[in-house]
């Protein structure tokens, strides 16, 4: 799994930080997303996928195979 962000699209809704707080945070200056780790460990992967789905701005991209098939980490 490899996570990337488009901070220019982020509207600071905060769903990502609520859904996967080990991976996403919000910039205290402008409220936009901050990525805490680009390659989250296995236990955080479902939450990262959920955060990407919930993001209203489509700012989160997740690359990599589904959890059960991902042996690339
Ligand atoms: S959910 Fe999307 S729009 Fe909201 S803070 Fe996270 S990346 Fe930004």
């Amino acid at each position: 799994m490899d996570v990337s962000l488009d901070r220019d699209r982020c509207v600071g809704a905060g769903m990502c930080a609520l859904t996967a707080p080990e991976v996403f945070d919000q910039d205290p200056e402008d409220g936009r997303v901050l990525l805490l780790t680009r390659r989250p460990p296995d236990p955080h992967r479902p939450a990262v996928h959920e955060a990407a789905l919930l993001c209203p701005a489509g700012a989160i991209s997740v690359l990599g195979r589904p959890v059960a098939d991902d042996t690339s980490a």
Side-chain angles (χ1 to χ4, degrees), residues 10-16 26 31 33 55-57 59-60:
C10 176
V11 296
M15 289 305 298
C16 55
Q26 285 181 272
V33 64
C55 175
I60 301 171

PDB file of all heavy atoms in Angstrom, residues 10-16 26 31 33 55-57 59-60, ligand 1:
ATOM      1  N   CYS A  10      -7.703  19.273  -1.092  1.00  0.00           N
ATOM      2  CA  CYS A  10      -8.231  19.099   0.263  1.00  0.00           C
ATOM      3  C   CYS A  10      -9.019  20.333   0.703  1.00  0.00           C
ATOM      4  O   CYS A  10      -8.568  21.467   0.547  1.00  0.00           O
ATOM      5  CB  CYS A  10      -7.070  18.845   1.224  1.00  0.00           C
ATOM      6  SG  CYS A  10      -7.591  18.717   2.950  1.00  0.00           S
ATOM      7  N   VAL A  11     -10.196  20.076   1.271  1.00  0.00           N
ATOM      8  CA  VAL A  11     -11.029  21.173   1.770  1.00  0.00           C
ATOM      9  C   VAL A  11     -11.076  21.187   3.304  1.00  0.00           C
ATOM     10  O   VAL A  11     -11.857  21.917   3.897  1.00  0.00           O
ATOM     11  CB  VAL A  11     -12.463  21.085   1.201  1.00  0.00           C
ATOM     12  CG1 VAL A  11     -12.437  21.270  -0.297  1.00  0.00           C
ATOM     13  CG2 VAL A  11     -13.130  19.762   1.570  1.00  0.00           C
ATOM     14  N   GLY A  12     -10.242  20.349   3.925  1.00  0.00           N
ATOM     15  CA  GLY A  12     -10.126  20.373   5.372  1.00  0.00           C
ATOM     16  C   GLY A  12     -11.324  19.803   6.105  1.00  0.00           C
ATOM     17  O   GLY A  12     -11.592  20.179   7.245  1.00  0.00           O
ATOM     18  N   ALA A  13     -12.045  18.894   5.462  1.00  0.00           N
ATOM     19  CA  ALA A  13     -13.235  18.326   6.088  1.00  0.00           C
ATOM     20  C   ALA A  13     -12.892  17.456   7.295  1.00  0.00           C
ATOM     21  O   ALA A  13     -13.710  17.295   8.188  1.00  0.00           O
ATOM     22  CB  ALA A  13     -14.025  17.498   5.071  1.00  0.00           C
ATOM     23  N   GLY A  14     -11.714  16.872   7.298  1.00  0.00           N
ATOM     24  CA  GLY A  14     -11.252  16.130   8.471  1.00  0.00           C
ATOM     25  C   GLY A  14     -11.700  14.692   8.569  1.00  0.00           C
ATOM     26  O   GLY A  14     -11.391  14.021   9.548  1.00  0.00           O
ATOM     27  N   MET A  15     -12.425  14.195   7.576  1.00  0.00           N
ATOM     28  CA  MET A  15     -12.886  12.809   7.647  1.00  0.00           C
ATOM     29  C   MET A  15     -11.715  11.831   7.696  1.00  0.00           C
ATOM     30  O   MET A  15     -11.782  10.797   8.369  1.00  0.00           O
ATOM     31  CB  MET A  15     -13.776  12.484   6.443  1.00  0.00           C
ATOM     32  CG  MET A  15     -15.131  13.149   6.489  1.00  0.00           C
ATOM     33  SD  MET A  15     -16.050  12.799   8.007  1.00  0.00           S
ATOM     34  CE  MET A  15     -16.212  11.017   7.883  1.00  0.00           C
ATOM     35  N   CYS A  16     -10.655  12.141   7.008  1.00  0.00           N
ATOM     36  CA  CYS A  16      -9.507  11.227   6.985  1.00  0.00           C
ATOM     37  C   CYS A  16      -8.883  11.095   8.371  1.00  0.00           C
ATOM     38  O   CYS A  16      -8.599   9.993   8.824  1.00  0.00           O
ATOM     39  CB  CYS A  16      -8.482  11.691   5.965  1.00  0.00           C
ATOM     40  SG  CYS A  16      -7.923  13.394   6.217  1.00  0.00           S
ATOM     41  N   GLN A  26      -4.508  16.831  10.554  1.00  0.00           N
ATOM     42  CA  GLN A  26      -4.858  18.093   9.906  1.00  0.00           C
ATOM     43  C   GLN A  26      -3.867  19.164  10.317  1.00  0.00           C
ATOM     44  O   GLN A  26      -3.489  19.266  11.498  1.00  0.00           O
ATOM     45  CB  GLN A  26      -6.277  18.526  10.286  1.00  0.00           C
ATOM     46  CG  GLN A  26      -7.347  17.717   9.590  1.00  0.00           C
ATOM     47  CD  GLN A  26      -8.743  18.185   9.954  1.00  0.00           C
ATOM     48  OE1 GLN A  26      -9.300  17.730  10.928  1.00  0.00           O
ATOM     49  NE2 GLN A  26      -9.286  19.097   9.156  1.00  0.00           N
ATOM     50  N   GLY A  31      -5.907  23.605   8.360  1.00  0.00           N
ATOM     51  CA  GLY A  31      -6.898  22.539   8.438  1.00  0.00           C
ATOM     52  C   GLY A  31      -6.781  21.489   7.359  1.00  0.00           C
ATOM     53  O   GLY A  31      -7.520  20.505   7.373  1.00  0.00           O
ATOM     54  N   VAL A  33      -5.125  18.401   5.116  1.00  0.00           N
ATOM     55  CA  VAL A  33      -4.593  17.106   5.514  1.00  0.00           C
ATOM     56  C   VAL A  33      -3.061  17.092   5.563  1.00  0.00           C
ATOM     57  O   VAL A  33      -2.379  17.750   4.762  1.00  0.00           O
ATOM     58  CB  VAL A  33      -5.114  16.020   4.542  1.00  0.00           C
ATOM     59  CG1 VAL A  33      -4.590  16.258   3.126  1.00  0.00           C
ATOM     60  CG2 VAL A  33      -4.776  14.628   5.028  1.00  0.00           C
ATOM     61  N   CYS A  55     -13.434  10.742   1.723  1.00  0.00           N
ATOM     62  CA  CYS A  55     -12.928  12.096   1.454  1.00  0.00           C
ATOM     63  C   CYS A  55     -13.818  12.791   0.418  1.00  0.00           C
ATOM     64  O   CYS A  55     -13.945  12.324  -0.717  1.00  0.00           O
ATOM     65  CB  CYS A  55     -11.494  12.032   0.943  1.00  0.00           C
ATOM     66  SG  CYS A  55     -10.867  13.661   0.447  1.00  0.00           S
ATOM     67  N   PRO A  56     -14.442  13.904   0.773  1.00  0.00           N
ATOM     68  CA  PRO A  56     -15.361  14.564  -0.148  1.00  0.00           C
ATOM     69  C   PRO A  56     -14.665  15.243  -1.315  1.00  0.00           C
ATOM     70  O   PRO A  56     -15.311  15.605  -2.299  1.00  0.00           O
ATOM     71  CB  PRO A  56     -16.068  15.593   0.744  1.00  0.00           C
ATOM     72  CG  PRO A  56     -15.085  15.882   1.826  1.00  0.00           C
ATOM     73  CD  PRO A  56     -14.360  14.588   2.075  1.00  0.00           C
ATOM     74  N   ALA A  57     -13.358  15.406  -1.218  1.00  0.00           N
ATOM     75  CA  ALA A  57     -12.611  16.114  -2.260  1.00  0.00           C
ATOM     76  C   ALA A  57     -11.845  15.169  -3.179  1.00  0.00           C
ATOM     77  O   ALA A  57     -11.231  15.606  -4.149  1.00  0.00           O
ATOM     78  CB  ALA A  57     -11.642  17.105  -1.609  1.00  0.00           C
ATOM     79  N   ALA A  59      -9.149  13.672  -2.478  1.00  0.00           N
ATOM     80  CA  ALA A  59      -7.751  14.092  -2.346  1.00  0.00           C
ATOM     81  C   ALA A  59      -6.805  12.961  -1.970  1.00  0.00           C
ATOM     82  O   ALA A  59      -5.591  13.143  -2.000  1.00  0.00           O
ATOM     83  CB  ALA A  59      -7.662  15.207  -1.298  1.00  0.00           C
ATOM     84  N   ILE A  60      -7.365  11.800  -1.606  1.00  0.00           N
ATOM     85  CA  ILE A  60      -6.540  10.690  -1.130  1.00  0.00           C
ATOM     86  C   ILE A  60      -6.484   9.608  -2.195  1.00  0.00           C
ATOM     87  O   ILE A  60      -7.521   9.152  -2.673  1.00  0.00           O
ATOM     88  CB  ILE A  60      -7.124  10.104   0.169  1.00  0.00           C
ATOM     89  CG1 ILE A  60      -7.199  11.184   1.256  1.00  0.00           C
ATOM     90  CG2 ILE A  60      -6.294   8.909   0.640  1.00  0.00           C
ATOM     91  CD1 ILE A  60      -7.968  10.744   2.492  1.00  0.00           C
TER      92      ILE A  60
HETATM   93  S1  LIG B   1     -11.063  13.947   4.182  1.00  0.00           S
HETATM   94 FE1  LIG B   1     -10.215  14.784   2.253  1.00  0.00          FE
HETATM   95  S2  LIG B   1     -10.867  16.906   2.243  1.00  0.00           S
HETATM   96 FE2  LIG B   1     -11.077  16.169   4.343  1.00  0.00          FE
HETATM   97  S3  LIG B   1      -9.147  16.695   5.380  1.00  0.00           S
HETATM   98 FE3  LIG B   1      -8.951  14.611   4.589  1.00  0.00          FE
HETATM   99  S4  LIG B   1      -8.006  14.842   2.548  1.00  0.00           S
HETATM  100 FE4  LIG B   1      -8.821  16.838   3.142  1.00  0.00          FE
END
